[in-house]
Amino acid sequence: MNERWLPRLQEVGERLAEEFVSARRPKPAEGPQPHELRPHELRASDADRDRVAQVLNDAVADGRLGMDEFEERLTALYNARTLGELAGLTTDLLPADEQPFRLDDRPVSAIFKQEQRRGRWVVPAELPVTAMFGTTKLDLRDAIMQNRRVVINATLMFGGLEIHVPEGVEVVRVSKGKTVRLTREQADPDCPVIEVRTSNFLGEVKVKEPPKRKRRR
């Protein structure tokens, strides 16, 4: 394929995918709705603070931060309450794909390419995913799930969706009114659930989960 046409095909594919997802999205209910927290509004954990502190320590060690600015950011770090406040402390220290965590809640689209979400990222309650002649990979092993039930609306056209899940998470696929479990049955009936709703044409969904633990004799 002529490489000059590839960006144009990707642009057209993304536009069509966006229109298709918008058409499938249910209309919002009338009346006031409860506020759903955006990723940057979520409360930060001690583990998240530790991740940012490590980046700051590395920056002062190699001279990217002076001691005065390091101390200033460290104070802001321990006063931060949300992920958004933490994220602002490292934006000028690392590229976007190397940040301690990712707060991007936009749809994930892979049009003639591979797109992925991995590391410490926030999984919204509902996530549109598109793969057209490409592959989308979602690694949830270190992710923050906003809800115990996450809905992935996947549009797959000659493309694939690959999901990596930690132990204790169930994944089901809903297509044409049928529900199929893609992970082994979980012992906890109230475990987190990833529901993949697919509209596909020669598309594939793969799930990778940790190996089953061997029972001690």
Side-chain angles (χ1 to χ4, degrees):
M1 181 181 294
N2 194 319
E3 293 182 359
R4 293 182 301 174
W5 287 98
L6 188 55
R8 182 68 61 84
L9 287 173
Q10 290 177 344
E11 180 182 348
V12 172
E14 289 174 359
R15 189 183 305 118
L16 290 174
E18 183 178 348
E19 292 176 357
F20 186 75
V21 170
S22 298
R24 293 175 58 213
R25 186 177 296 122
K27 295 182 179 180
E30 296 182 357
Q33 300 297 313
H35 174 64
E36 182 174 318
L37 294 177
R38 299 290 301 276
H40 68 274
E41 297 174 314
L42 295 176
R43 288 278 183 164
S45 68
D46 289 339
D48 295 319
R49 292 187 179 88
D50 290 343
R51 290 170 181 269
V52 174
Q54 184 60 56
V55 175
L56 298 180
N57 284 327
D58 292 342
V60 74
D62 62 20
R64 283 176 292 153
L65 285 181
M67 283 304 302
D68 290 344
E69 191 171 10
F70 171 71
E71 292 176 0
E72 180 182 336
R73 295 197 189 194
L74 206 59
T75 299
L77 165 70
Y78 290 110
N79 288 332
R81 294 179 300 172
T82 66
L83 292 178
E85 292 172 321
L86 286 182
L89 300 175
T90 60
T91 52
D92 61 343
L93 299 176
L94 292 174
D97 59 348
E98 296 180 18
Q99 289 293 322
F101 42 82
R102 186 169 185 165
L103 303 182
D104 183 3
D105 60 350
R106 294 176 300 174
V108 185
S109 298
I111 314 296
F112 292 96
K113 62 180 179 179
Q114 181 182 111
E115 188 67 30
Q116 62 182 348
R117 292 285 188 273
R118 63 180 181 177
R120 190 69 167 169
W121 65 290
V122 177
V123 186
E126 186 169 345
L127 178 64
V129 170
T130 303
M132 293 184 178
F133 298 92
T135 302
T136 299
K137 294 185 177 182
L138 305 178
D139 191 337
L140 309 181
R141 289 173 291 185
D142 200 24
I144 304 170
M145 293 176 57
Q146 282 194 248
N147 286 42
R148 292 184 63 82
R149 189 175 192 87
V150 171
V151 175
I152 297 176
N153 291 312
T155 302
L156 309 175
M157 295 182 65
F158 295 97
L161 169 61
E162 184 176 300
I163 306 174
H164 291 253
V165 296
E167 187 174 359
V169 174
E170 183 176 74
V171 181
V172 297
R173 179 176 182 174
V174 180
S175 180
K176 298 180 180 179
K178 296 182 179 180
T179 301
V180 179
R181 182 185 291 113
L182 301 182
T183 51
R184 56 180 172 267
E185 188 172 358
Q186 302 298 323
D188 181 6
D190 296 323
C191 69
V193 176
I194 309 295
E195 181 180 314
V196 183
R197 300 176 183 174
T198 56
S199 296
N200 66 83
F201 182 75
L202 296 180
E204 185 179 20
V205 178
K206 292 183 179 180
V207 176
K208 295 188 177 182
E209 55 184 325
K212 191 173 182 179
R213 292 184 179 182
K214 295 182 179 180
R215 293 183 178 179
R216 295 183 179 180
R217 294 181 178 179

